[in-house]
Structures are given as structure tokens and as C-alpha cells.
Amino acid sequence: VGKSALAAEVAHNAQEHFPKWKFGMVRGTSLAAARQDVLAFARWLLHLPDDQEADVLQDFLSDFAQRNDWMLVIDDLQDNDITNQLIPANAGHVIVTTHRDDLCRTSFELVIQLDPLAATDALTLLSAFVKDNRIANNRSLATNFLQDDLQLLPVAVCLAGRLLQRSNSATRRAATAV
């Protein structure tokens, strides 16, 4: 679970709470890739055929600049031109993942930087969700999971903890029912 998966999870949760909103995913690796994804999103929202090129992007920017009922996830932003040229300013909701601190600090109103936890702190946090001995009995495996799969990101550790907590509750309910 990395930044991209967390952003997608946030968008998914928002979609459950705001079913009338429009959601899309944009590759931020290059301006060309982002343009292709934004055009596909715009065609879908505006109900336009795939072969229609003329003014699709301009129509999208004009229409959606007036609305707040949409969310885009820009994954792995590498260029400020993506947000400057392709995303309506001061409208909708945009979640950006990037490894580049310089892009976030200049482009967005609210920046949440997720610094990794120390491995021992991540273990403590994960253990707070799981009340049995699964973490304590498998410290080495848990540490590898936290470092390799979750990159020691606090939100990822919390999500994993909640999933473990739920799976434990479901297992107990199933055992009780039998």
C-alpha cells in the first residue's frame, strides 16, 4: 500500500459518501499521459464519442471550473504544467501523489506530507489495532510487511490495522455462529 493506493482509497470512500460526484484517475508521469487521461475523463463526463477531439478539453475546463462535484486523483505528478494546463483552478477536488516536494509546495492550497514512521513506531501503531498476539508473535514478518509493502506510511499502517481488526472480528463472529 503506497501513496497511490491510499489516494485511490480516499477517492473510493468519497465516492461512497458523494454518489453523484464524478471521479477520475490521471497519470501524472508526463503531460502527454495526463492529457490523454483528462480527455478520456472529459469525454466520459460530457458523453462524447472517443473520436471527437475538437474543444473537448476546453469544454471540460469551462464546465467543470464552475462545479465542485468531481474529484481527480493525479498519480505520481512530475510536472506542474499538468495541474496548470489540465485541471480547472479553484474547482472540484484534486488528490495528488508525488515524490517531488517542489511540486506540492508551489501548486496546492493544502499539502499533507506523509513522512514514514520508524519501524518500532509502525509496529506499535499496528499492534494498537490488533489486540491479540498476531503482531507480537510475528515481529520479523510484520516489520518486513510494514517496511516493504506499507513503506512505513502512517495512513497505510492504520488501514492495514483496520483490515486486520475487521478480519479478526469476522473470524470471531464466524466461530461463534458455528
Side-chain angles (χ1 to χ4, degrees):
V1 178
K3 289 184 279 297
S4 303
L6 292 174
E9 178 72 16
V10 169
H12 177 74
N13 285 338
Q15 192 169 26
E16 289 178 3
H17 287 56
F18 305 102
K20 293 183 180 180
W21 283 20
K22 310 300 182 206
F23 293 84
M25 196 82 161
V26 175
R27 292 169 291 167
T29 51
S30 72
L31 185 58
R35 181 179 174 75
Q36 184 179 16
D37 293 346
V38 170
L39 282 170
F41 184 64
R43 282 190 195 99
W44 174 67
L45 292 173
L46 301 171
H47 307 288
L48 300 173
D50 288 345
D51 59 352
Q52 185 171 342
E53 286 291 327
D55 300 323
V56 171
L57 187 58
Q58 194 56 46
D59 290 348
F60 167 73
L61 292 174
S62 299
D63 185 33
F64 279 79
Q66 308 301 316
R67 302 169 60 170
N68 279 321
D69 63 345
W70 58 270
M71 178 182 284
L72 283 176
V73 174
I74 303 175
D75 187 35
D76 195 21
L77 181 68
Q78 297 297 315
D79 186 346
N80 267 341
D81 286 343
I82 293 170
T83 54
N84 294 338
Q85 294 179 24
L86 301 177
I87 308 301
N90 303 318
H93 308 274
V94 180
I95 297 174
V96 175
T97 68
T98 186
H99 293 282
R100 297 198 36 203
D101 220 19
D102 58 317
L103 296 177
C104 281
R105 301 260 177 245
T106 60
S107 302
F108 303 100
E109 182 179 313
L110 174 64
V111 175
I112 301 172
Q113 183 170 336
L114 297 177
D115 293 323
L117 296 167
T120 54
D121 293 336
L123 273 171
T124 301
L125 179 58
L126 187 62
S127 296
F129 285 94
V130 182
K131 301 301 182 196
D132 57 32
N133 292 327
R134 284 182 285 174
I135 305 303
N137 292 343
N138 297 291
R139 264 182 99 70
S140 178
L141 182 63
T143 301
N144 289 340
F145 169 69
L146 291 167
Q147 290 173 330
D148 298 341
D149 296 328
L150 304 184
Q151 301 170 6
L152 300 172
L153 294 173
V155 177
V157 175
C158 289
L159 285 172
R162 287 182 59 206
L163 289 171
L164 287 169
Q165 196 176 46
R166 281 189 204 149
S167 70
N168 193 31
S169 296
T171 303
R172 266 195 303 242
R173 283 194 305 271
T176 304
V178 172

